[in-house]
Amino acid sequence: MTAATILAGRLRSARTRRALDLALCLLPSVVVGAALAWRLWGVSAALSLAAVLCAALAAFVWSKARRLDEAWLARRLNATRSDMDDSADLLFASGEDLNGLQRLQQARLRERIETANGPELGPGWSARRLLVSALAALLGLIAIGLWPRAQSGARDLEALSPAPQVAALPGQPRLIEQGLRIDPPAYTHMPPRSEPTLEGRVPENARLRWNLRFEPQPSAAELVFHDGQRLALARQGDGRWSAERVLAKPALYRIVAAGAPDAQTRRLYRLDVTVDRVPQLRVLEPDRGLSLMSAGQRNWPLEFEASDDYGLAANAQLRITLAQGSGENITFREQRLSLRGTGTATAKRYAQRLDLASLGFASGDDLIVQLSVDDNRSPKPQTAQSPSLILRWPADLGSEATGLDGMVKTTLPAYFRSQRQIIIDAEALIAQRRKLDEARFIERSDAIGVDQRLLRLRYGQFLGEESEGAPQLPTNDRDEPEPHDEHTAADKGQGQSANASAPDEHDEHTHTPKPAAPTFGEEGSVLEQFGHTHDHAEAATLLDPDTRKLLKAALDEMWQSELHLRQGHPQQALPYAHKALGFIKKVQQATRIYLARVGPELPPIDESRRLSGERAGLARRGEMLAAARAADPLLESLWRELEQSTRASKPTPIDYTGLQRWLREHESRVADPLAFAAAFDALRNEPECLRCRAELRRLLWPLLTRPPASVQRRGQGDAVDRRYFEALQQEARR
């Protein structure tokens, strides 16, 4: 055997080993890809993908093996055999290009190749790479085997299930197969699924696809919903009837096919909707809404926790408002920070430490923060806001005034607006109208309206109005009437005569601080130390009629100002705000009248008419009674009709149109609107069904207005009582 033949065989062996080594390393990946295609798309798709991957693998392996050429073989011979004298490249050179010495060396090398067997020249096997590839493929196959069936392809989801058989005449279309495909919104990250019964609970705004098959085929088919909407079914090429709709609220529907039997047409299907909830936000730190800055504090740690049913947005917005100044000279500076939470997609925590020095926080300021979090709902995310957290830098105690004025100043919060400040803010907002978008303009106008509401509730306390949950805080109007300021002004304006004339009455209004030091910031302690009886509703009569009339007029103007501000029309609210300020100034100049707390003075009783039986001058008691009116006359009449029809042999007709209209207008009052609609539909299909009428009456009962309490008729008593009353009547006849 010649040296050329031996070298060619060695080169083929090396190429074969390289190709087999690469093929064994990459073949497990081909198996995993084919298994995944089989799980997702079926056997045919798996075989097609396997063929493509094998062809690509063969081409790749062949290209890698072709890199082993004669130059590589010469290098391997020089590296493995010392008898080649580092001249193995002469074995592949042409004799015409060599000199005499090179031809002599070439002959010696060929003789050595032919007579001596050298070591194996092919590359070694990649045992470690083969082991890693096999283990990775095994793990991939296990994962594919455990993959839930809900991730199956569209072909499985479109599979139809047999429909319940109904009695039908020959030639009437019957529903023989049915299927409902549910595609949840993408932001929910929920897999699509199918419901064989055409019913179920679906996520809000999910896309539904109905697939039905009739035998024989009808000329037309549609879905009729309980609210009157109709969805036409389209016939496909394979004989199926399909339709699609995005479902935003629960619904009842029936399948109406031309010529179908009544039992099939009256069959109701129910679809419930899982509403996407608003994110839940909770404050972890600080543990109170109002915090006082401690000595040496340089930062303010904040921590929030948020959760959502489908997922939260990546970032949250922290709004920081710095309130500086006092009285009418209050300035607000606002900035926003973007916080990135830590945790899972549905539950995150947000932490931030605010540097007080960089924010410009100084003595007497208030720092107000509020976190807002969005969920991943698309296209319009839902937002949740945390309660406002306030960090207060208390004023220097040494600079406080003494007496009642000093005590009032210490309880004035800088963030509470005055009527003059509301006017200033509204005018500033109108001036910035062109620079703000519509949503931002309405939001700022609504915020001013909230301040107007709080101020109205504060002044309304002096007329005995309820606070509607408003905070019991004094206003920031130093030039406007406060109960303490009016009291002091009245005393100063009238001199000492008022005090001298009614020393007892004035003693009732004397303010004496409690000896025990209250906790700063607690509402109960502040009212206990600085409370005034004029602030209570029961003491509203301490204002004279003229002052009450002015204050009532101011409140009416505040109502109108608040109305337009909350609606986003500050230009329409300004006239009412100015009128309210004018009335308040008039109230400031009014005098206070002090009245003693006395009981009611009733007219004396005429003893001469006692037990005389004279009824002259007494009002007729029959005129004092009035018939009660039902809150919902339609429900009352329907209840009576259903009650009478259950007893009568021939049921009375029902006002279906009016009941449907009432259900659409008052759907929020009904606990289960779909059950109400189903009972109503069953009664309409079978008017003589007593069980259907009883079911509708059962659903109507919680909706009826409870009658008010009435005077119970006195009992007749026992035998002794009756003999006594009879004796009185006999004596009266004599």
Side-chain angles (χ1 to χ4, degrees), residues 91-109:
L91 294 172
F92 307 100
S94 177
E96 299 176 356
D97 299 335
L98 302 178
N99 54 27
L101 182 61
Q102 290 176 336
R103 284 195 295 271
L104 179 60
Q105 181 66 14
Q106 185 183 42
R108 290 177 179 176
L109 295 178

Short mmCIF file of all heavy atoms in Angstrom, two decimals, residues 91-109:
data_model
loop_
_atom_site.label_atom_id
_atom_site.label_comp_id
_atom_site.label_asym_id
_atom_site.label_seq_id
_atom_site.Cartn_x
_atom_site.Cartn_y
_atom_site.Cartn_z
N LEU A 91 5.24 15.40 2.04
CA LEU A 91 4.49 14.24 1.56
C LEU A 91 3.39 14.64 0.58
O LEU A 91 2.96 13.82 -0.24
CB LEU A 91 3.87 13.50 2.75
CG LEU A 91 4.85 12.84 3.71
CD1 LEU A 91 4.11 12.31 4.94
CD2 LEU A 91 5.59 11.70 3.02
N PHE A 92 2.91 15.85 0.66
CA PHE A 92 1.79 16.31 -0.19
C PHE A 92 2.24 17.29 -1.27
O PHE A 92 1.42 17.84 -1.98
CB PHE A 92 0.72 16.98 0.67
CG PHE A 92 0.26 16.13 1.82
CD1 PHE A 92 0.75 16.34 3.10
CD2 PHE A 92 -0.62 15.09 1.61
CE1 PHE A 92 0.34 15.55 4.16
CE2 PHE A 92 -1.04 14.31 2.67
CZ PHE A 92 -0.56 14.52 3.94
N ALA A 93 3.60 17.48 -1.37
CA ALA A 93 4.13 18.41 -2.37
C ALA A 93 4.41 17.67 -3.67
O ALA A 93 4.67 16.46 -3.69
CB ALA A 93 5.39 19.07 -1.84
N SER A 94 4.35 18.40 -4.78
CA SER A 94 4.64 17.83 -6.10
C SER A 94 6.14 17.72 -6.29
O SER A 94 6.91 18.62 -5.89
CB SER A 94 4.02 18.71 -7.19
OG SER A 94 4.35 18.21 -8.47
N GLY A 95 6.62 16.61 -6.92
CA GLY A 95 8.06 16.40 -7.09
C GLY A 95 8.72 17.37 -8.03
O GLY A 95 9.93 17.59 -7.96
N GLU A 96 7.99 17.98 -8.94
CA GLU A 96 8.57 18.91 -9.90
C GLU A 96 9.03 20.20 -9.24
O GLU A 96 9.93 20.88 -9.75
CB GLU A 96 7.56 19.21 -10.99
CG GLU A 96 7.13 17.97 -11.78
CD GLU A 96 6.05 18.28 -12.79
OE1 GLU A 96 5.61 19.47 -12.79
OE2 GLU A 96 5.63 17.39 -13.54
N ASP A 97 8.40 20.57 -8.10
CA ASP A 97 8.74 21.83 -7.44
C ASP A 97 9.83 21.66 -6.40
O ASP A 97 10.19 22.62 -5.70
CB ASP A 97 7.50 22.41 -6.77
CG ASP A 97 6.41 22.70 -7.79
OD1 ASP A 97 6.74 22.92 -8.97
OD2 ASP A 97 5.21 22.69 -7.38
N LEU A 98 10.36 20.44 -6.22
CA LEU A 98 11.35 20.18 -5.18
C LEU A 98 12.74 20.05 -5.79
O LEU A 98 12.91 19.60 -6.93
CB LEU A 98 10.98 18.89 -4.44
CG LEU A 98 9.59 18.86 -3.77
CD1 LEU A 98 9.36 17.50 -3.14
CD2 LEU A 98 9.44 19.97 -2.75
N ASN A 99 13.72 20.41 -4.97
CA ASN A 99 15.11 20.21 -5.39
C ASN A 99 15.55 18.80 -5.04
O ASN A 99 14.76 17.99 -4.51
CB ASN A 99 16.03 21.25 -4.76
CG ASN A 99 15.88 21.29 -3.23
OD1 ASN A 99 15.52 20.27 -2.64
ND2 ASN A 99 16.17 22.44 -2.63
N GLY A 100 16.80 18.49 -5.26
CA GLY A 100 17.27 17.14 -5.04
C GLY A 100 17.23 16.72 -3.59
O GLY A 100 16.82 15.59 -3.26
N LEU A 101 17.62 17.59 -2.69
CA LEU A 101 17.60 17.24 -1.27
C LEU A 101 16.18 17.04 -0.78
O LEU A 101 15.90 16.13 0.01
CB LEU A 101 18.32 18.34 -0.48
CG LEU A 101 18.44 18.10 1.03
CD1 LEU A 101 19.24 16.81 1.29
CD2 LEU A 101 19.10 19.29 1.71
N GLN A 102 15.22 17.88 -1.24
CA GLN A 102 13.83 17.76 -0.81
C GLN A 102 13.20 16.46 -1.35
O GLN A 102 12.41 15.81 -0.65
CB GLN A 102 13.02 18.97 -1.29
CG GLN A 102 13.40 20.26 -0.55
CD GLN A 102 12.65 21.46 -1.11
OE1 GLN A 102 12.24 21.44 -2.28
NE2 GLN A 102 12.54 22.53 -0.31
N ARG A 103 13.57 16.07 -2.60
CA ARG A 103 13.03 14.83 -3.14
C ARG A 103 13.56 13.63 -2.36
O ARG A 103 12.85 12.65 -2.13
CB ARG A 103 13.38 14.70 -4.62
CG ARG A 103 12.52 15.60 -5.51
CD ARG A 103 12.65 15.18 -6.97
NE ARG A 103 14.01 15.40 -7.47
CZ ARG A 103 14.43 16.54 -8.03
NH1 ARG A 103 13.59 17.56 -8.17
NH2 ARG A 103 15.68 16.64 -8.45
N LEU A 104 14.85 13.71 -1.93
CA LEU A 104 15.42 12.63 -1.14
C LEU A 104 14.70 12.51 0.21
O LEU A 104 14.36 11.40 0.65
CB LEU A 104 16.91 12.87 -0.92
CG LEU A 104 17.67 11.83 -0.07
CD1 LEU A 104 17.57 10.44 -0.72
CD2 LEU A 104 19.12 12.23 0.13
N GLN A 105 14.40 13.65 0.86
CA GLN A 105 13.69 13.63 2.13
C GLN A 105 12.26 13.13 1.95
O GLN A 105 11.72 12.39 2.79
CB GLN A 105 13.68 15.03 2.76
CG GLN A 105 12.99 15.12 4.09
CD GLN A 105 13.70 14.35 5.19
OE1 GLN A 105 14.87 13.93 5.02
NE2 GLN A 105 13.00 14.11 6.30
N GLN A 106 11.64 13.48 0.83
CA GLN A 106 10.27 13.02 0.55
C GLN A 106 10.23 11.50 0.41
O GLN A 106 9.31 10.84 0.91
CB GLN A 106 9.75 13.69 -0.73
CG GLN A 106 8.30 13.36 -1.04
CD GLN A 106 7.85 13.98 -2.35
OE1 GLN A 106 8.62 13.96 -3.34
NE2 GLN A 106 6.63 14.52 -2.38
N ALA A 107 11.25 10.93 -0.26
CA ALA A 107 11.28 9.48 -0.42
C ALA A 107 11.46 8.78 0.92
O ALA A 107 10.84 7.74 1.19
CB ALA A 107 12.42 9.09 -1.39
N ARG A 108 12.29 9.35 1.78
CA ARG A 108 12.49 8.75 3.10
C ARG A 108 11.18 8.78 3.92
O ARG A 108 10.83 7.80 4.60
CB ARG A 108 13.59 9.49 3.85
CG ARG A 108 14.98 9.28 3.28
CD ARG A 108 15.97 10.13 4.06
NE ARG A 108 17.34 9.91 3.54
CZ ARG A 108 18.41 10.57 3.98
NH1 ARG A 108 18.27 11.48 4.95
NH2 ARG A 108 19.61 10.32 3.45
N LEU A 109 10.46 9.88 3.87
CA LEU A 109 9.22 10.00 4.64
C LEU A 109 8.17 9.02 4.14
O LEU A 109 7.42 8.42 4.93
CB LEU A 109 8.68 11.43 4.58
CG LEU A 109 9.57 12.52 5.24
CD1 LEU A 109 8.93 13.89 5.05
CD2 LEU A 109 9.77 12.24 6.71
#
